[in-house]
Amino acid sequence: MDENTKKRILTGDRPTGRLHLGHYVGSLRTRAELQDAYDEIIEVADVQALTTHFEKPELIKQSILDVTIDNLSVGLDPDKVTIFQQSQIPSIAELTIFYSMIVSCNQLRHNPTIKTEAKNYGYTDLSYGFLGYPVSQTADITFCNAHLVPVGEDQLPHIELARKIVRKFNALYGTSIVEPEAKVSSTGRLSGLDGNAKMGKSLGNALYLSDTPEEIWNKVKVAVTDPAKIHLHDPGHPEVCNVYKYHCVFNKEEAPGISEQCKKGELGCVACKKRLNAVLNNLLDPMRERRAYYEQHPDEVKDILAKGNKRCNEIGNQNLAEIKEKMHILVK
Ligand code: ATP
Ligand code: MG
């Protein structure tokens, strides 16, 4: 199958820092698995990053390359996938404006994910851009007529909104914009080794894909385990242990044996952490190799983005010309 017959996926990351194992489990791993079967388009969502980080342009600038390299490091092949930078695609901005005419503010205000995020960021009076980011996200997905959007549960209200916008827009103007479908990640959230329900970069508990073996071990060795297991031979309770949770995610085959040994008091926490550390480094080592290559060849990374921007501009400009024609705003 060539890219013309494959279904298209749109996915991406906000460049607000480096990506971590939570991102890997939640999306990057699936991205790598799907890169052959789909025409996969990956957005470095720098405009969306501005909705919360507009006062940190230097962080966004640095993160554009970091996040691109993070994606390449997990084995995404630049000859198969398209990676582009949101701000470089004017058709996305235009489409956002058109969509904004047919979305009500209340629809956005009642979006549960917007509410939760606004609360987490401590926003009381939302900016126009933040309140409207699901509209901009709809334009991200539809400027290229993506069929599928791999998402976590938190993103479902946004995909629902995107589908509503597309249906309304198509009905109004007779356009044939593809109504996207969500592909919900089955893995769910990766918790933090500190016991937090989520690994997150602002929670200070992230294991970054770019961490060195020393950095990984320094984080793994202080992980909170079963508080009732103090001595090596105390019987443990894997069901309440953060390290065991990680064995279940990253070391599936050995996890049942580890659980047995821990419960019988045959496996100490330090040895258990060392085993997890080894498994994590086995996963990260090939990523480190690819990362080292790209870090030594930054021009190649910039070329990958430039190539992606070019392709997305071709797709977007063509689609926008058709859309404007249907909207009767193209004077010929
Ligand atoms: P912050 O702490 O600044 O919010 P973050 O580490 O949560 O940053 P985001 O950029 O908010 O990262 O995450 C983007 C997406 O990555 C989320 O919508 C989610 O799909 C996925 N993701 C982030 N953290 C995890 C995690 N711990 N487990 C699974 N998926 C995650
Ligand atoms: Mg977050």
Side-chain angles (χ1 to χ4, degrees):
M1 272 208 290
D2 66 18
E3 65 188 28
N4 296 321
T5 51
K6 284 178 184 172
K7 285 205 166 183
R8 185 168 284 165
I9 282 182
L10 190 288
T11 177
D13 312 285
R14 297 188 332 137
T16 54
R18 290 170 178 255
L19 301 182
H20 51 66
L21 280 175
H23 297 117
Y24 177 74
V25 168
S27 58
L28 296 183
R29 183 167 58 183
T30 321
R31 249 175 238 184
E33 285 164 8
L34 299 178
Q35 64 179 326
D36 288 305
Y38 291 88
D39 173 16
E40 200 162 58
I41 302 187
I42 299 161
E43 176 183 79
V44 181
D46 55 350
V47 178
Q48 197 181 321
L50 288 169
T51 62
T52 53
H53 287 62
F54 60 90
E55 288 171 316
K56 295 185 178 161
E58 286 303 320
L59 172 69
I60 295 178
K61 182 184 176 194
Q62 177 61 41
S63 303
I64 290 167
L65 286 185
D66 286 345
V67 161
T68 306
I69 294 179
D70 282 330
N71 271 280
L72 294 166
S73 81
V74 304
L76 285 163
D77 179 346
D79 290 329
K80 293 180 186 162
V81 302
T82 297
I83 309 181
F84 77 99
Q85 195 186 335
Q86 185 186 14
S87 65
Q88 301 308 302
I89 314 300
S91 53
I92 295 180
E94 288 185 75
L95 201 50
T96 304
I97 294 177
F98 295 152
Y99 287 159
S100 73
M101 308 305 162
I102 62 165
V103 184
S104 78
C105 291
N106 276 343
Q107 225 174 341
L108 296 168
R109 279 194 206 104
H110 294 152
N111 178 310
T113 300
I114 288 280
K115 281 192 199 167
T116 311
E117 288 176 348
K119 197 169 152 216
N120 291 346
Y121 283 112
Y123 297 158
T124 44
D125 186 12
L126 303 189
S127 78
Y128 177 59
F130 180 82
L131 180 67
Y133 92 74
V135 182
S136 157
Q137 221 175 54
T138 303
D140 299 337
I141 299 165
T142 56
F143 87 96
C144 62
N145 281 315
H147 304 94
L148 276 185
V149 192
V151 288
E153 298 262 329
D154 59 326
Q155 295 293 305
L156 282 178
H158 300 343
I159 304 300
E160 211 29 65
L161 178 75
R163 290 167 64 86
K164 278 192 189 139
I165 292 176
V166 168
R167 283 200 293 268
K168 189 166 174 184
F169 201 87
N170 282 341
L172 262 172
Y173 299 114
T175 43
S176 41
I177 299 167
V178 171
E179 200 178 312
E181 272 176 51
K183 185 173 163 50
V184 184
S185 149
S186 54
T187 35
R189 306 243 108 173
L190 181 67
S191 56
L193 279 175
D194 56 353
N196 196 299
K198 180 180 174 292
M199 175 182 287
K201 52 183 174 286
S202 51
L203 299 166
N205 63 3
L207 277 70
Y208 291 97
L209 302 182
S210 48
D211 275 348
T212 61
E214 293 70 34
E215 285 169 324
I216 293 290
W217 174 239
N218 285 337
K219 294 175 189 180
V220 171
K221 84 177 170 202
V222 297
V224 178
T225 55
D226 170 13
K229 185 169 162 72
I230 296 159
H231 306 291
L232 196 160
H233 295 296
D234 290 344
H237 306 85
E239 65 281 4
V240 299
C241 176
N242 297 304
V243 173
Y244 180 66
K245 275 191 204 154
Y246 272 51
H247 278 295
C248 293
V249 176
F250 297 104
N251 191 16
K252 280 204 181 88
E253 271 178 29
E254 289 186 338
I258 286 171
S259 167
E260 281 312 299
Q261 283 182 298
C262 172
K263 282 185 199 161
K264 286 188 201 151
E266 290 170 1
L267 179 65
C269 292
V270 176
C272 181
K273 286 175 174 179
K274 283 190 176 156
R275 284 171 75 170
L276 176 64
N277 189 56
V279 167
L280 293 180
N281 282 318
N282 277 343
L283 173 71
L284 293 172
D285 277 342
M287 298 186 202
R288 292 182 179 124
E289 245 174 70
R290 293 186 203 103
R291 172 182 306 282
Y293 173 84
Y294 286 112
E295 282 180 350
Q296 283 154 20
H297 299 83
D299 287 341
E300 222 172 288
V301 181
K302 289 177 192 163
D303 280 349
I304 290 167
L305 279 176
K307 207 174 101 208
N309 292 343
K310 184 168 177 286
R311 177 170 183 234
C312 289
N313 271 322
E314 283 164 8
I315 297 172
N317 290 343
Q318 190 181 341
N319 286 339
L320 258 286
E322 284 171 26
I323 288 170
K324 285 180 192 167
E325 181 146 19
K326 297 271 187 182
M327 292 173 78
H328 301 292
I329 55 174
L330 205 59
V331 179
K332 280 187 180 167

